[in-house]
Amino acid sequence: MHILVINGPNLNLLGIREPELYGEASYDDLVSLIEAEALRLGIVVSFVQSNCEGTLVDAIQGAYGTMDAIIINPAAYTHTSIALLDAIKAVGLPTIEVHLTNPDEREDFRKVSYIRPACQATITGQGFEGYLEALRFFVDIKKL
């Protein structure tokens, strides 16, 4: 199983950006944690992080025929990007939406997710652990 992990804008600043919300661990720490769990589960992960919406759309489209599933934290694009929704729907890959914090407990504009209708699940408010839960979700589905 090969899973693409996509992270949107400002996640490259983890550890610097609002540590009271996102913690002090870095984006590299997140990648290392996901890689270790993937190794333990016997799966392969690839990563894309971009602050540019078009790059994220290209990554989703590029997953077609090469990846088995997508884990995506679209960050601020969650609340604005119909393009990401359309790309996820177009490729038809199982997708899980992950957020480090719980958007439903934050500002009103964060309560709307444009991509959620195209996702099999949404995991919020679990910090880095949410990504690991998403990996395990896909492994468990494969076993069924």
Side-chain angles (χ1 to χ4, degrees), residues 88-102:
I88 292 167
K89 287 169 58 176
V91 300
L93 291 170
T95 301
I96 295 179
E97 173 186 17
V98 172
H99 298 283
L100 297 168
T101 64
N102 185 345

Side-chain angles (χ1 to χ4, degrees), residues 78-79 99 101-107 110-111 116 124-125:
T78 302
H79 322 291
H99 298 283
T101 64
N102 185 345
D104 292 331
E105 296 175 353
R106 297 183 62 193
E107 302 93 339
R110 294 188 196 273
K111 294 179 174 136
R116 190 161 296 156
T124 65

Side-chain angles (χ1 to χ4, degrees), residues 30-64:
L30 173 62
V31 168
S32 294
L33 186 69
I34 294 168
E35 287 175 332
E37 182 69 1
L39 183 63
R40 188 186 77 71
L41 293 170
I43 60 177
V44 176
V45 288
S46 295
F47 297 89
V48 172
Q49 187 285 319
S50 180
N51 297 316
C52 301
E53 183 179 27
T55 302
L56 301 176
V57 169
D58 289 343
I60 293 166
Q61 291 178 1
Y64 182 77

Side-chain angles (χ1 to χ4, degrees), residues 1 32 67 86 117:
M1 177 177 280
S32 294
M67 300 287 168
D86 288 347

